[in-house]
Amino acid sequence: MTPATGAVDLIKASGLGVTLGGRRILSDIDLSLSAGEIVTLIGPNGAGKTTLVRTLLGLESPTVGRMMRKEGLRIGYMPQRVAVDPILPLNVARFLRLGARRRGAVRAAGERLGLVGLLDSPIQGLSGGEMQRVLLARALLRDPELLVLDEPAQGVDVGLQSGFYTLIREIRDELGCGVLMVSHDLHLVMAATDRVVCLNGHICCTGLPEAVSRDPAYQRLFGVADTRGLAVYAHVHDHTHGAVSGESDEGGHRHA
């Protein structure tokens, strides 16, 4: 499922820049996401991914540029992790009810994500993969138009990660929602996304999931040596690279 022609943007940033503590974190960000579209945001540590997501969600204010969100936009957010006090008597069902909008939603979400057998289990005793499914279920309880997933497969066994991303695509198809993922898990995420945005203080490149393994700029940024089997995307540059070997642009992205 991909966004229909003329689909209304759920979020749209134009010329967005963010400065925090006197330090420029993001500059010249143009980004939009429509219903039915999965966009994956990638970039090295310190690239500004978290700041961009917080700005898109309205938790940070842009220093320059414009930020638009669909009026009344319902957002379901799945964080990387949630810290729960080990002495808090909280089982999975009660944890999920904290975010439920309607009666019966918790049971339905549990059935959809294979959590029914865990609803009475203490939240502190879950494995990494079980906790990620619980966090995804909690995000879905908001009936989201936009689902924001921060490292959604973190803690999931490598052998199960592909199935987890397949589940995300199935949810997108069922709900027709937009999905914004943040990930470093390129080998699997590339095959699960409609569009990739590569960030390093600014948008270095963006495009469809094809041809990235052959792109020298991508490999320099991520240090990919063996790309056999890597799902790929088209690499479209929206800025000018320096001609001098090792020259760095504004965002700290180095080019040979």
Side-chain angles (χ1 to χ4, degrees):
M1 180 177 178
T2 55
T5 301
V8 176
D9 291 327
L10 299 177
I11 54 174
K12 184 173 184 178
S14 302
L16 185 145
V18 178
T19 298
L20 297 174
R23 176 170 166 262
R24 182 170 56 186
I25 308 297
L26 298 170
S27 60
D28 301 321
I29 302 295
D30 293 324
L31 175 66
S32 63
L33 192 151
S34 301
E37 183 180 24
I38 299 178
V39 174
T40 298
L41 183 64
I42 63 172
N45 291 335
K49 299 188 297 295
T50 297
T51 298
L52 178 54
V53 170
R54 287 179 57 83
T55 305
L56 295 176
L57 295 178
L59 301 176
E60 296 283 357
S61 299
T63 308
V64 297
R66 294 187 299 170
M67 181 66 230
M68 182 281 294
R69 280 176 292 275
K70 178 190 170 191
E71 185 175 356
L73 179 65
R74 296 190 308 275
I75 299 175
Y77 176 63
M78 177 183 169
Q80 287 189 36
R81 61 183 68 87
V82 171
V84 180
D85 192 314
I87 66 171
L88 190 66
L90 188 66
N91 63 20
V92 171
R94 292 178 66 186
F95 177 77
L96 290 176
R97 287 192 196 105
L98 297 175
R101 294 169 60 92
R102 65 182 189 276
R103 181 174 295 182
V106 168
R107 182 77 183 186
E111 291 175 351
R112 179 66 187 83
L113 295 176
L115 297 172
V116 172
L118 295 174
L119 291 178
D120 293 326
S121 301
I123 195 78
Q124 299 91 339
L126 299 180
S127 69
E130 290 168 344
M131 188 63 188
Q132 292 307 95
R133 282 189 287 143
V134 168
L135 292 177
L136 179 56
R138 188 168 183 267
L140 294 177
L141 288 172
R142 297 187 57 82
D143 297 323
E145 298 170 279
L146 174 62
L147 191 57
V148 180
L149 311 175
D150 191 354
E151 300 283 3
Q154 180 168 294
V156 178
D157 290 344
V158 173
L160 301 176
Q161 288 178 358
S162 179
F164 193 83
Y165 286 118
T166 298
L167 174 62
I168 291 170
R169 290 187 70 90
E170 291 173 351
I171 289 170
R172 183 276 308 270
D173 291 343
E174 291 175 11
L175 300 182
C177 61
V179 179
L180 176 64
M181 289 196 289
V182 179
S183 185
H184 67 277
D185 216 349
L186 307 179
H187 182 88
L188 295 171
V189 172
M190 293 290 187
T193 188
D194 299 314
R195 180 159 52 97
V196 174
V197 176
C198 182
L199 187 72
N200 197 22
H202 63 290
I203 294 179
C204 305
C205 47
T206 183
L208 301 174
E210 57 187 39
V212 68
S213 64
R214 298 185 298 274
D215 192 291
Y218 172 87
Q219 294 189 4
R220 282 193 295 269
L221 182 60
F222 290 100
V224 178
D226 184 357
T227 58
R228 289 173 296 180
L230 181 67
V232 294
Y233 72 99
H235 201 80
V236 181
H237 289 272
D238 60 359
H239 62 285
T240 302
H241 292 257
V244 179
S245 178
E247 185 174 0
S248 174
D249 59 28
E250 287 185 287
H253 185 168
R254 301 191 66 84
H255 309 280

